[in-house]
Amino acid sequence: MKRALLWLPLLLFAGLFALVGFGLLKPANRTVRSALTDKPLPDFTLPALLPGKPGVAKNGYGGGQPRLLNVFASWCLPCKAEAPQLMRLKALGVPIDAVATNDTADGMRDFLATYGDPYQRIGDDKASKVQIALGSSGVPETFLIDGRGRIVMQHVGDIRADEVDGIVAAWRAAK
């Protein structure tokens, strides 16, 4: 019996090593998903951030036309990386609105002048209340709102070039 106990530390170390190795090879998915997917868009109204570009409100959705609602900020580096993909989506006919979180008009003007403006409307969400109401945990995040005003898809993180076709297909299916 005592002889078998001599192997116990080695077995414990091997088990710990295997556990760490499994965790490194298959890390847990820490993406926070919105509980509102497949549910109606929550009630909200955001004023315009920039003159000449309207704000966003729930009543702007559900008229039969699906739209993307992009939660972003001009100070967000991944949002800058995502900008070319949003311009491509706009060029493909996908209407895009935005919730600008914790942003300023000057920062937004600079961002749009540098990276392009794919947005039809930009709402000013200074306190991130709408972002939180949507179930968004960070920027950028994009929601696909179907023609009935329901959130049918959430994209967490910046949209990559290889994801644009899938988003266009989802937008077409949401009509």
Side-chain angles (χ1 to χ4, degrees), residues 49-51 74 103-114 126:
L49 180 60
L50 298 173
S74 65
D103 221 319
T104 64
D106 288 340
M108 186 58 61
R109 266 190 288 275
D110 291 345
F111 181 92
L112 298 176
T114 303
K126 287 198 183 320

mmCIF file of all heavy atoms in Angstrom, residues 49-51 74 103-114 126:
data_model
loop_
_atom_site.group_PDB
_atom_site.id
_atom_site.type_symbol
_atom_site.label_atom_id
_atom_site.label_comp_id
_atom_site.label_asym_id
_atom_site.label_seq_id
_atom_site.Cartn_x
_atom_site.Cartn_y
_atom_site.Cartn_z
ATOM 1 N N LEU A 49 -26.446 61.962 -32.824
ATOM 2 C CA LEU A 49 -25.116 62.366 -32.339
ATOM 3 C C LEU A 49 -24.577 63.505 -33.188
ATOM 4 O O LEU A 49 -23.876 64.373 -32.683
ATOM 5 C CB LEU A 49 -24.154 61.178 -32.366
ATOM 6 C CG LEU A 49 -22.729 61.457 -31.896
ATOM 7 C CD1 LEU A 49 -22.724 61.939 -30.448
ATOM 8 C CD2 LEU A 49 -21.855 60.216 -32.040
ATOM 9 N N LEU A 50 -24.917 63.473 -34.486
ATOM 10 C CA LEU A 50 -24.400 64.479 -35.417
ATOM 11 C C LEU A 50 -25.549 65.229 -36.072
ATOM 12 O O LEU A 50 -26.555 64.609 -36.434
ATOM 13 C CB LEU A 50 -23.559 63.804 -36.508
ATOM 14 C CG LEU A 50 -22.327 63.050 -36.057
ATOM 15 C CD1 LEU A 50 -21.714 62.294 -37.226
ATOM 16 C CD2 LEU A 50 -21.313 64.000 -35.435
ATOM 17 N N PRO A 51 -25.394 66.526 -36.288
ATOM 18 C CA PRO A 51 -26.419 67.258 -37.037
ATOM 19 C C PRO A 51 -26.536 66.695 -38.461
ATOM 20 O O PRO A 51 -25.525 66.338 -39.068
ATOM 21 C CB PRO A 51 -25.874 68.693 -37.076
ATOM 22 C CG PRO A 51 -24.797 68.756 -36.056
ATOM 23 C CD PRO A 51 -24.296 67.363 -35.849
ATOM 24 N N SER A 74 -16.200 55.608 -31.794
ATOM 25 C CA SER A 74 -15.099 56.109 -32.617
ATOM 26 C C SER A 74 -13.740 55.812 -31.991
ATOM 27 O O SER A 74 -12.741 55.748 -32.690
ATOM 28 C CB SER A 74 -15.256 57.620 -32.833
ATOM 29 O OG SER A 74 -15.129 58.313 -31.610
ATOM 30 N N ASP A 103 -19.500 58.339 -26.779
ATOM 31 C CA ASP A 103 -18.767 58.989 -27.858
ATOM 32 C C ASP A 103 -19.027 60.486 -27.864
ATOM 33 O O ASP A 103 -19.875 60.980 -27.122
ATOM 34 C CB ASP A 103 -19.184 58.372 -29.202
ATOM 35 C CG ASP A 103 -17.997 58.175 -30.108
ATOM 36 O OD1 ASP A 103 -17.132 59.060 -30.160
ATOM 37 O OD2 ASP A 103 -17.939 57.133 -30.773
ATOM 38 N N THR A 104 -18.288 61.177 -28.704
ATOM 39 C CA THR A 104 -18.463 62.627 -28.871
ATOM 40 C C THR A 104 -18.713 62.924 -30.341
ATOM 41 O O THR A 104 -18.319 62.142 -31.223
ATOM 42 C CB THR A 104 -17.204 63.395 -28.427
ATOM 43 O OG1 THR A 104 -16.118 63.029 -29.301
ATOM 44 C CG2 THR A 104 -16.843 63.089 -26.977
ATOM 45 N N ALA A 105 -19.331 64.046 -30.609
ATOM 46 C CA ALA A 105 -19.600 64.442 -31.994
ATOM 47 C C ALA A 105 -18.284 64.650 -32.747
ATOM 48 O O ALA A 105 -18.152 64.221 -33.900
ATOM 49 C CB ALA A 105 -20.451 65.704 -32.029
ATOM 50 N N ASP A 106 -17.312 65.285 -32.104
ATOM 51 C CA ASP A 106 -16.022 65.507 -32.778
ATOM 52 C C ASP A 106 -15.328 64.183 -33.106
ATOM 53 O O ASP A 106 -14.796 64.000 -34.207
ATOM 54 C CB ASP A 106 -15.099 66.368 -31.907
ATOM 55 C CG ASP A 106 -15.555 67.815 -31.846
ATOM 56 O OD1 ASP A 106 -16.331 68.242 -32.742
ATOM 57 O OD2 ASP A 106 -15.144 68.522 -30.907
ATOM 58 N N GLY A 107 -15.319 63.264 -32.141
ATOM 59 C CA GLY A 107 -14.703 61.956 -32.384
ATOM 60 C C GLY A 107 -15.407 61.208 -33.512
ATOM 61 O O GLY A 107 -14.764 60.581 -34.356
ATOM 62 N N MET A 108 -16.742 61.316 -33.528
ATOM 63 C CA MET A 108 -17.514 60.619 -34.565
ATOM 64 C C MET A 108 -17.262 61.233 -35.938
ATOM 65 O O MET A 108 -17.092 60.505 -36.925
ATOM 66 C CB MET A 108 -19.008 60.655 -34.224
ATOM 67 C CG MET A 108 -19.865 59.841 -35.170
ATOM 68 S SD MET A 108 -19.388 58.099 -35.259
ATOM 69 C CE MET A 108 -19.623 57.587 -33.563
ATOM 70 N N ARG A 109 -17.229 62.549 -36.023
ATOM 71 C CA ARG A 109 -16.949 63.202 -37.316
ATOM 72 C C ARG A 109 -15.587 62.751 -37.859
ATOM 73 O O ARG A 109 -15.454 62.419 -39.033
ATOM 74 C CB ARG A 109 -16.974 64.723 -37.164
ATOM 75 C CG ARG A 109 -18.301 65.349 -37.470
ATOM 76 C CD ARG A 109 -18.206 66.864 -37.540
ATOM 77 N NE ARG A 109 -18.014 67.473 -36.233
ATOM 78 C CZ ARG A 109 -18.997 67.766 -35.396
ATOM 79 N NH1 ARG A 109 -20.233 67.539 -35.739
ATOM 80 N NH2 ARG A 109 -18.739 68.303 -34.224
ATOM 81 N N ASP A 110 -14.586 62.721 -37.007
ATOM 82 C CA ASP A 110 -13.248 62.282 -37.428
ATOM 83 C C ASP A 110 -13.269 60.821 -37.889
ATOM 84 O O ASP A 110 -12.652 60.468 -38.898
ATOM 85 C CB ASP A 110 -12.238 62.449 -36.293
ATOM 86 C CG ASP A 110 -11.949 63.904 -35.981
ATOM 87 O OD1 ASP A 110 -12.297 64.779 -36.807
ATOM 88 O OD2 ASP A 110 -11.376 64.169 -34.894
ATOM 89 N N PHE A 111 -13.966 59.979 -37.130
ATOM 90 C CA PHE A 111 -14.055 58.553 -37.471
ATOM 91 C C PHE A 111 -14.699 58.367 -38.838
ATOM 92 O O PHE A 111 -14.166 57.646 -39.698
ATOM 93 C CB PHE A 111 -14.868 57.809 -36.400
ATOM 94 C CG PHE A 111 -15.008 56.335 -36.645
ATOM 95 C CD1 PHE A 111 -14.099 55.432 -36.110
ATOM 96 C CD2 PHE A 111 -16.048 55.817 -37.413
ATOM 97 C CE1 PHE A 111 -14.221 54.073 -36.332
ATOM 98 C CE2 PHE A 111 -16.178 54.459 -37.647
ATOM 99 C CZ PHE A 111 -15.259 53.584 -37.105
ATOM 100 N N LEU A 112 -15.829 59.014 -39.065
ATOM 101 C CA LEU A 112 -16.552 58.856 -40.332
ATOM 102 C C LEU A 112 -15.760 59.430 -41.507
ATOM 103 O O LEU A 112 -15.785 58.877 -42.607
ATOM 104 C CB LEU A 112 -17.932 59.503 -40.241
ATOM 105 C CG LEU A 112 -18.877 58.895 -39.192
ATOM 106 C CD1 LEU A 112 -20.180 59.684 -39.142
ATOM 107 C CD2 LEU A 112 -19.135 57.424 -39.436
ATOM 108 N N ALA A 113 -15.042 60.525 -41.262
ATOM 109 C CA ALA A 113 -14.230 61.121 -42.337
ATOM 110 C C ALA A 113 -13.057 60.201 -42.697
ATOM 111 O O ALA A 113 -12.651 60.124 -43.857
ATOM 112 C CB ALA A 113 -13.712 62.493 -41.900
ATOM 113 N N THR A 114 -12.529 59.499 -41.729
ATOM 114 C CA THR A 114 -11.369 58.631 -41.954
ATOM 115 C C THR A 114 -11.757 57.262 -42.504
ATOM 116 O O THR A 114 -11.102 56.749 -43.427
ATOM 117 C CB THR A 114 -10.589 58.442 -40.633
ATOM 118 O OG1 THR A 114 -10.213 59.730 -40.138
ATOM 119 C CG2 THR A 114 -9.349 57.583 -40.844
ATOM 120 N N LYS A 126 -24.866 57.975 -24.710
ATOM 121 C CA LYS A 126 -23.793 58.458 -23.824
ATOM 122 C C LYS A 126 -23.571 57.566 -22.606
ATOM 123 O O LYS A 126 -22.436 57.371 -22.181
ATOM 124 C CB LYS A 126 -24.115 59.875 -23.358
ATOM 125 C CG LYS A 126 -23.932 60.912 -24.424
ATOM 126 C CD LYS A 126 -23.826 62.284 -23.831
ATOM 127 C CE LYS A 126 -23.714 63.368 -24.858
ATOM 128 N NZ LYS A 126 -22.895 63.123 -26.006
#
